Amino acid sequence: MERIRKNNGDSHRGEEGMLNNKVAVVTGASRGIGKEIALKLASLGAAVIINYNGAEEKAEEVKKLIEDKGGKAEIYQCNVSDFDACKEFIDYVIKKYNSIDILINNAGITRDGLLMRMSEKDFDDVINTNLKGTFNCIRFASRQMMKQRAGRIINISSVVGVSGNAGQTNYAASKAGIIGLTKAVAKEVASRHITVNAVAPGFIQTDMTDILSENTKKQIASLIPIGTFGNPEDVANAAAFLASDEAGYITGQVLHVDGGMVM
Ligand code: NAP
């Protein structure tokens, strides 16, 4: 499913220095899309706080990758579904860095199953991590951004939050909820020059989609106009743009990064 790319192979080139002196929090940055967003923002000059829940070693690896390239990063364990823990997390960042310029709400899980067989726990776990986790971090970071009269909030939704998907009622509801939340918060904070946008990835090659059988992957790819799954870098590039000064007049939007899957 590799796609041929017309670049020099270094997906973290970017416009060096574009995010110098910015402080970025990326939730769920130990693996997959969050990891790639952390690497991208760091490559553009931001100091990155790599949040993770369980995968401490992987979070450390991301930190090392950033530091090896001369970037600034640290790791922070926090279960984003825990309101009080998120307060502690964001308070820590504000105390240490005196600002939060970019918040990327990326942490997410799936617990797939048909509705008729879905347990209450599987529904609650997905909503609590994906939707409530996004609310929790915004709840505490937005106060600081209001004071700064500047900020960028980017929430990772999904195409299935727009189109629905059989076997994912919990996940689709959480991702549709993120879109509604994004638009409501965008309206609340726009006058303070804080933008709030969502990115809706299609099928991206990560641990989350690695569990699909080769046959299912082929079937899904046949529904994608571009014909392949995306890479985490595709999502990271979109997030980096929305985090930049250049995106200052874009708010309340949902940017699909899905190879044309939903249009
Ligand atoms: P992934 O490879 O499974 O990684 C998930 C990340 O979220 C990990 O870093 C994990 O940290 C973290 N996480 C999970 N629960 C957490 C919690 N309670 N608190 C803090 N962190 C938590 O997933 P991915 O594919 O990169 O997906 C990233 C985001 O993109 C998710 O929101 C997902 O829904 C969305 N998305 C993915 C796709 C896709 O095709 N892959 C498509 C559309 C949208 P630990 O490992 O440390 O627990």
Side-chain angles (χ1 to χ4, degrees), residues 28 30-31 33 53-55 79-80 106 157 171 175 202 204 206 209:
S30 54
R31 296 183 280 123
I33 292 170
N53 188 24
N79 180 344
V80 296
N106 164 82
S157 176
Y171 184 76
K175 295 299 183 180
I204 308 294
T206 68
T209 50

Side-chain angles (χ1 to χ4, degrees), residues 27-35 51-56 58-59 77-82 105-110 128-130 156-160 171 174-175 178 199-209 229 232 235:
T27 70
S30 54
R31 296 183 280 123
I33 292 170
K35 169 183 175 178
N51 160 254
Y52 67 99
N53 188 24
E56 181 174 356
K58 287 191 181 280
Q77 193 283 331
C78 170
N79 180 344
V80 296
S81 67
D82 182 332
N105 287 300
N106 164 82
I109 57 168
T110 50
N128 286 339
T129 302
N130 301 4
I156 307 300
S157 176
S158 165
V159 286
V160 310
Y171 184 76
S174 73
K175 295 299 183 180
I178 286 175
V199 173
F203 282 81
I204 308 294
Q205 293 180 64
T206 68
D207 292 348
M208 195 178 265
T209 50
F229 278 32
V235 184

Side-chain angles (χ1 to χ4, degrees), residues 86-123:
C86 286
K87 181 177 186 324
E88 223 174 282
F89 173 32
I90 301 297
D91 281 352
Y92 165 82
V93 175
I94 294 166
K95 200 163 177 214
K96 178 158 179 185
Y97 295 88
N98 287 316
S99 73
I100 295 186
D101 304 293
I102 300 162
L103 168 65
I104 314 272
N105 287 300
N106 164 82
I109 57 168
T110 50
R111 296 287 182 270
D112 297 351
L114 294 173
L115 174 82
M116 300 282 272
R117 279 190 238 132
M118 186 173 288
S119 69
E120 184 183 12
K121 183 174 183 333
D122 282 350
F123 187 83

